[in-house]
């Protein structure tokens, strides 16, 4: 049965361009973030608490907001009020950038899917650090773990990627409970090459050197399109580098579920990603004790349970939230109790 969001709100949002809908929604949520009465009202959506400790952080429930919905960290108090057990902002790059040309988000309602080729459009590490500083000084800083997802600026050559990540890391680490290294988006040319052994080892080694004092948990976000031998090498490197967690997965470049005449370039998310993501979660859990955060194709309670059964410690939703609304949190949480 459809919930109120699916019956009333989604048809309105889906009647306009996807990126316009996203922008208007975030603008509304940003405004609500400054109104205490509205934040208290949103708590009706909060799921029952089921705290969990992962990489020495306590999560009030295992359901998090995936990176990409709030790239610039403008609505953190709202996400916490809705009941997310953790919030991940970004992807943030060292330099502010507009991303790829529009249009760059495409809906596929029949497949419960999205394709995006946004290209890390964000305000940049400096501006986001200033925004988070102001929020941190207010009384509205969320009481749930905050993850900050960082990536390479589009204009930075691959040879300079490490310094690019380090700049964002240094600017943002004080606000983060954990840091995610995004080396798997398909929408920044060459980025996925950072998943290769030498490049990933060098990046993790450089971040570890700058993390000796703050000791933030470092998490790596990987692609769903890895061959088994590629995944094996990444797991080995993550273990050797004392990585705190792996997010499985980013969006996929496999568009076989989308009719040819409707297909668009970019990363596919939503229901068609479910099987690929679960397979990687299962493979990582079978091979390693590194905690896995499952992301990809979580659209209902069944798909969430599937990820937990495959070995995930935590979950992240993105496309599921767009299609199902905030009621999805409670549906999943109640199914996991």
């Amino acid at each position: 049965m459809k919930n109120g969001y699916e019956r009333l709100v989604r048809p309105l949002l889906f009647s306009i361009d996807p990126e316009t809908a996203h922008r208007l929604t975030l603008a509304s949520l940003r405004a609500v973030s400054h109104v205490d009465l509205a934040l208290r009202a949103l708590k009706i959506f909060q799921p029952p608490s089921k705290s969990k400790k992962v990489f020495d952080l306590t999560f009030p429930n295992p359901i998090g907001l995936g990176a990409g919905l709030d790239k610039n960290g403008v609505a953190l108090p709202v996400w916490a009020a809705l009941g997310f057990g953790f919030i991940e902002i970004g992807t943030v790059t060292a330099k502010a950038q507009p991303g790829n040309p529009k249009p760059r988000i495409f809906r596929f309602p029949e497949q419960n899917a999205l394709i995006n080729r946004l290209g890390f459009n964000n305000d940049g590490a400096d501006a986001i650090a200033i925004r988070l500083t102001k929020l941190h000084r207010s009384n509205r800083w969320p009481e749930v773990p905050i993850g900050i997802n960082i990536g390479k600026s589009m204009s930075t050559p691959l040879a300079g990627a490490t310094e690019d990540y380090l700049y964002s890391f240094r600017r943002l680490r004080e606000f983060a409970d954990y840091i995610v290294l995004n080396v798997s988006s398909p929408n920044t040319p060459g980025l996925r090459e950072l998943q290769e052994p030498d490049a990933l080892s060098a990046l993790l080694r450089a971040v570890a050197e700058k993390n000796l004092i703050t000791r933030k948990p470092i998490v790596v976000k990987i692609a769903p399109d890895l061959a088994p031998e590629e995944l094996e090498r990444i797991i080995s490197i993550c273990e050797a580098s004392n990585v705190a967690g792996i997010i499985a997965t980013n969006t996929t470049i496999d568009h076989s579920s989308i009719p040819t005449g409707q297909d668009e370039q970019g990363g596919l998310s939503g229901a068609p990603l479910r099987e690929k993501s679960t397979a990687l979660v299962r493979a990582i859990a079978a091979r390693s004790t590194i905690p896995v955060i499952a992301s990809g194709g979580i659209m209902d309670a069944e798909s969430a349970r599937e990820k937990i059964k495959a070995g995930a410690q935590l979950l992240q939703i993105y496309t599921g939230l767009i299609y199902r609304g905030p009621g999805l949190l409670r549906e999943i949480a109640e199914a996991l109790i």
Side-chain angles (χ1 to χ4, degrees):
M1 181 181 294
K2 290 184 177 181
N3 59 34
Y5 169 89
E6 292 174 272
R7 292 195 311 271
L8 303 173
V9 179
R10 191 177 78 183
L12 291 174
L13 292 176
F14 278 34
S15 69
I16 57 178
D17 167 74
E19 189 161 358
T20 301
H22 190 181
R23 187 176 67 252
L24 292 174
T25 300
L26 268 184
S28 300
L29 297 180
R30 184 176 191 170
V32 169
S33 292
H34 298 283
V35 183
D36 290 339
L37 183 61
L39 291 172
R40 287 196 293 271
L42 286 176
K43 291 184 178 180
I44 62 169
F45 292 104
Q46 287 196 357
S49 177
K50 187 184 182 184
S51 64
K52 190 164 193 175
K53 197 162 188 176
V54 183
F55 38 82
D56 291 328
L57 295 175
T58 299
F59 298 82
N61 68 66
I63 310 160
L65 180 76
L69 267 169
D70 191 355
K71 291 177 182 289
N72 295 308
V74 300
L76 270 66
V78 165
W79 304 123
L82 286 171
F84 281 97
F86 61 109
I87 304 160
E88 190 172 309
I89 69 169
T91 295
V92 182
T93 54
K95 305 168 188 174
Q97 57 185 36
N100 291 318
K102 300 176 182 179
R104 51 193 184 180
I105 307 177
F106 307 90
R107 302 187 192 100
F108 298 89
E110 289 186 11
Q111 289 79 22
N112 281 325
L114 297 174
I115 288 176
N116 92 80
R117 51 172 181 259
L118 288 162
F120 291 169
N121 55 310
N122 74 105
D123 294 341
D126 291 334
I128 293 171
I130 292 169
R131 179 176 298 124
L132 296 181
T133 297
K134 292 177 180 177
L135 180 62
H136 206 271
R137 291 172 179 167
S138 75
N139 63 349
R140 297 191 179 97
W141 187 264
E143 295 181 358
V144 300
I146 303 297
I148 301 183
N149 183 307
I150 60 177
K152 184 186 79 66
S153 304
M154 190 98 58
S155 62
T156 300
L158 207 58
T162 294
E163 282 305 315
D164 210 65
Y165 280 89
L166 290 178
Y167 184 87
S168 297
F169 178 77
R170 288 191 296 265
R171 290 294 282 127
L172 297 168
R173 60 187 169 186
E174 66 180 289
F175 308 105
D177 292 293
Y178 68 93
I179 295 280
V180 180
L181 305 180
N182 186 346
V183 293
S184 52
S185 170
N187 299 317
T188 295
L191 188 77
R192 287 190 170 190
E193 292 180 32
L194 295 175
Q195 294 178 121
E196 294 177 1
D198 290 346
L200 183 58
S201 295
L203 176 60
L204 288 171
R205 187 164 53 249
V207 171
E209 289 174 0
K210 299 299 181 184
N211 196 32
L212 291 174
I213 297 175
T214 51
R215 296 193 179 276
K216 300 291 183 177
I218 304 299
V219 177
V220 175
K221 186 167 186 174
I222 64 173
D225 309 301
L226 297 165
E229 60 273 16
E230 292 175 312
L231 179 62
E232 178 72 23
R233 288 194 291 267
I234 287 173
I235 294 172
S236 296
I237 291 166
C238 287
E239 288 177 331
S241 303
N242 295 314
V243 162
I246 296 175
I247 298 179
T249 62
N250 214 313
T251 56
T252 180
I253 55 174
D254 176 3
H255 294 188
S256 57
S257 60
I258 304 299
T260 304
Q262 301 174 29
D263 198 12
E264 293 284 348
Q265 184 179 355
L268 175 71
S269 63
L273 181 54
R274 173 178 171 176
E275 187 175 337
K276 271 180 175 285
S277 172
T278 300
L280 258 71
V281 170
R282 187 177 293 113
I284 297 166
R287 163 68 174 77
S288 176
T289 58
I290 296 176
V292 181
I293 302 174
S295 176
I298 301 174
M299 309 293 289
D300 51 25
E302 180 186 356
S303 51
R305 281 195 301 261
E306 177 184 277
K307 293 289 194 289
I308 297 295
K309 186 176 179 181
Q313 298 292 309
L314 299 168
L315 308 172
Q316 286 183 330
I317 59 175
Y318 179 139
T319 305
L321 186 65
I322 292 171
Y323 276 92
R324 302 289 316 285
L328 179 60
L329 275 77
R330 180 175 290 275
E331 178 185 326
I332 293 173
E334 290 177 348
L336 298 181
I337 292 177

